[in-house]
Amino acid sequence: MKKGSQAPGDPASGFGRSSRGDTRSESERGGGQGLERKLQARKGGSESPSSPAGTRPPEQWGRAAGRGGRGGSAAPMGAGQGWCLLLCLALSRVAADPEERQWRKVDVVLDCFLVEEDKHPGSLAGSRTMVEALLVLRQVPVLDDDSLEAITDFQGGTLAKDNPPVTFEASVNLVQIPQAEALLHADCNGKELSCEISHYFLQATKKASFIANVQVPGGGPSVSMVMKVLRDAENGAVLHPTLKLPLSPQGMVQTAVELQVTTQTPLLYFLLGSSASLHCGFSVAPGLDLTGVEWRLQHKGHGQLVYSWTTGQQQAKREGASLESEQLLLAGDASLTLPSLTLKDEGTYICQITTSLYQAQQIVQLHVQASPKVQLSLTNKALPPTLICNIAGYYPLDVTVTWIREEPGGTPVPVSGASFSSLRQSTAGTYSVSSFLKAEPGPEGTTYTCQVSHISLEEPLRSTAWVAPPEQKTAFGVLLASSLFVLTLLFLGLQRWPAPSPRSAKTLRPSR
């Protein structure tokens, strides 16, 4: 779902809520609104002594909610778009001068959906309802060079009083959120986050928990966070009307993130035969132990174990598959390395992290590609000649072949009328096909080009052939025929020339 234009909120804080009625894209609404929403993330504290580290890959969302990140109240923002422009310019300067950056703590506020199973009478089994929600990540360390000076902390009292969204306040003091900067500035980059929150059911404890799945579109990072509800229902506590959970004085459900799993690369493309690294990082709260790491592959309805690790034991089901060293693994890096990729390695990889209490996962889509090889040949000397363009060894299947004719001094012109052979597939799974074209000869220097486009290529491949003019071919044929005729006559003449008869031998005797 798309976010619309902002509705006015608390005028004292400058915090505005977003309506859902406008279905236009962010570029159609104008970049300023998206930047303004992102500017509303909150700054607090000063420097953090530790920097964020590893993270994990995402779970599949049932429905992608096209919703952006947002913060709390900002400093006076009458010229909101101008502030956003200044922020983006500052961020570009940060990228250019990384040594000047320092850690600051900010509140990262994300627009989300709370996903619940539909319990209404007559609803289909497995159907879900989605209601508006906010996720407030409190005091997250983010790299900054004072570009966030105008940003203040999120205040729950700034929410609209009529039908406010469910607000989850999440402390991140126990774990690291290494992709916080990408979440904070997603709108500045013209991207709208997908964020879904759902119940997380624990058998070992009766504590209520939730899991939040956040993804930056366009190949951005993906983060899953397991959040434990901190407050128990107390006498006289105000409960949320539907969740039946106690609310803070600001009207928020208070939680703490105890496990996060992230991936920096949810979508990967690698060439056949190369090696791939599938990123999966995680962070667990103190007191929780890492008990297992598992990578599984799903493709075309089939699932299989690729690699598993438990304390002191590891098992590689795919030849050559490996994790980082156990030291790095225990530090939060569960990335998988796959050498010498084949087409069988393509598919959806699930990185699952298991602790003594929780379990979360991320998904990495791996696409294996093979670049085509192009060869152009002239097979028929008769007029008009036939050109054959062989395209071999490519994957995936879709390929575009274009024929282009160009005369000297003219412009290239696409040529129609080509035919194709049947598709061929090698034992390795790559494809080959041939394209045929009757080439009408033209002036001297006329060329035909076979151009091949494929997803594995940054630029199309081209192979060009020169087709001789008709007169040159005719003159050559006459000269060749005349030469053969003369040679034939000479050969026949030599065969019929009479050989000289031998003379009788005479014995000369001296006279007496």
Side-chain angles (χ1 to χ4, degrees):
M1 295 180 66
K2 298 290 183 182
K3 293 180 59 118
S5 57
Q6 290 186 333
D10 185 348
S13 66
F15 177 77
R17 293 198 52 214
S18 300
S19 65
R20 318 284 172 108
D22 193 344
T23 59
R24 296 172 296 166
S25 66
E26 192 69 32
S27 60
E28 292 172 320
R29 296 193 300 269
Q33 291 181 0
L35 299 177
E36 185 172 348
R37 288 200 307 273
K38 185 53 65 180
L39 248 180
Q40 291 167 343
R42 304 301 160 237
K43 179 192 77 82
S46 55
E47 298 182 8
S48 172
S50 62
S51 61
T55 2
R56 76 74 164 127
E59 294 185 8
Q60 285 289 75
W61 331 125
R63 284 169 49 191
R67 305 169 55 82
R70 178 169 62 178
S73 59
M77 293 186 58
Q81 295 184 0
W83 275 109
C84 296
L85 178 60
L86 289 176
L87 174 60
C88 287
L89 290 175
L91 291 175
S92 64
R93 181 164 62 87
V94 170
D97 302 314
E99 295 181 359
E100 298 180 5
R101 305 176 70 178
Q102 55 184 322
W103 293 98
R104 292 187 181 277
K105 290 184 177 180
V106 299
D107 287 351
V108 178
V109 184
L110 307 175
D111 287 315
C112 302
F113 284 110
L114 175 62
V115 182
E116 297 184 291
E117 290 189 8
D118 195 345
K119 298 180 181 179
H120 292 90
S123 60
L124 297 176
S127 61
R128 309 186 307 169
T129 59
M130 305 178 72
V131 298
E132 296 182 16
L134 287 181
L135 175 60
V136 183
L137 302 176
R138 286 291 194 189
Q139 299 297 280
V140 184
V142 174
L143 280 172
D144 178 46
D145 69 340
D146 297 332
S147 63
L148 303 178
E149 281 296 331
I151 299 177
T152 60
D153 291 340
F154 175 83
Q155 302 296 329
T158 62
L159 295 174
K161 302 301 181 183
D162 54 331
N163 194 26
V166 182
T167 304
F168 293 86
E169 181 183 25
S171 168
V172 296
N173 294 334
L174 302 178
V175 298
Q176 296 172 326
I177 309 293
Q179 303 301 325
E181 192 172 3
L183 303 181
L184 179 64
H185 302 307
D187 275 357
C188 254
N189 299 325
K191 300 177 180 179
E192 291 190 353
L193 299 178
S194 169
C195 175
E196 290 189 3
I197 302 173
S198 55
H199 289 272
Y200 187 96
F201 297 100
L202 288 172
Q203 296 181 352
T205 176
K206 295 182 179 180
K207 281 280 187 181
S209 299
F210 292 85
I211 185 168
N213 297 312
V214 184
Q215 185 171 19
V216 178
S222 178
V223 185
S224 290
M225 295 169 283
V226 179
M227 307 179 297
K228 181 180 71 175
V229 176
L230 296 179
R231 299 182 61 184
D232 292 322
E234 304 170 353
N235 292 332
V238 178
L239 301 181
H240 189 275
T242 57
L243 297 178
K244 304 302 180 183
L245 294 173
L247 299 176
S248 69
Q250 292 77 27
M252 296 183 283
V253 178
Q254 292 182 310
T255 66
V257 179
E258 295 201 333
L259 170 64
Q260 68 81 9
V261 184
T262 188
T263 183
Q264 300 174 2
T265 54
L267 182 62
L268 292 173
Y269 295 88
F270 280 92
L271 289 177
L272 184 69
S274 63
S275 295
S277 177
L278 283 61
H279 176 258
C280 181
F282 62 93
S283 179
V284 299
L288 296 178
D289 297 323
L290 175 67
T291 60
V293 175
E294 186 175 273
W295 279 93
R296 300 190 66 86
L297 169 62
Q298 291 184 347
H299 189 52
K300 296 181 178 179
H302 300 283
Q304 63 187 54
L305 179 66
V306 177
Y307 195 97
S308 66
W309 175 93
T310 56
T311 306
Q313 295 182 344
Q314 52 189 359
Q315 183 181 27
K317 289 294 189 178
R318 191 270 196 195
E319 183 179 359
S322 63
L323 297 185
E324 299 294 339
S325 66
E326 187 157 329
Q327 182 178 2
L328 289 176
L329 177 63
L330 295 177
D333 189 351
S335 300
L336 176 70
T337 299
L338 299 174
S340 304
L341 291 176
T342 68
L343 297 184
K344 294 181 180 179
D345 292 316
E346 185 176 60
T348 300
Y349 285 80
I350 301 172
C351 172
Q352 182 171 281
I353 305 297
T354 303
T355 70
S356 50
L357 188 58
Y358 303 110
Q359 190 177 81
Q361 65 184 32
Q362 276 298 327
I363 289 178
V364 178
Q365 297 284 348
L366 175 62
H367 297 276
V368 180
Q369 301 175 345
S371 299
K373 299 176 180 60
V374 179
Q375 184 179 21
L376 184 59
S377 59
L378 184 65
T379 60
N380 190 354
K381 302 296 184 181
L383 294 179
T386 299
L387 292 168
I388 296 184
C389 184
N390 289 311
I391 305 102
Y394 61 91
Y395 186 90
L397 179 61
D398 292 336
V399 67
T400 301
V401 181
T402 305
W403 287 93
I404 301 172
R405 185 178 189 270
E406 183 175 4
E407 295 184 358
T411 57
V413 178
V415 181
S416 60
S419 59
F420 290 87
S421 68
S422 58
L423 193 66
R424 305 179 294 274
Q425 189 172 21
S426 69
T427 55
T430 59
Y431 298 100
S432 298
V433 72
S434 298
S435 178
F436 306 89
L437 180 69
K438 292 287 186 180
E440 294 295 335
E444 184 177 357
T446 299
T447 60
Y448 280 84
T449 299
C450 176
Q451 177 176 289
V452 177
S453 300
H454 189 257
I455 192 174
S456 65
L457 302 172
E458 293 185 2
E459 296 182 354
L461 294 178
R462 295 177 178 88
S463 183
T464 301
W466 173 74
V467 180
E471 56 273 13
Q472 291 191 4
K473 288 198 169 188
T474 304
F476 176 77
V478 171
L479 178 61
L480 179 62
S482 302
S483 301
L484 291 175
F485 179 73
V486 171
L487 290 175
T488 302
L489 289 179
L490 289 175
F491 177 77
L492 292 176
L494 291 174
Q495 290 293 324
R496 304 180 73 173
W497 191 269
S501 58
R503 295 181 177 179
S504 302
K506 293 183 178 181
T507 303
L508 297 179
R509 299 182 180 221
S511 57
R512 293 184 179 181

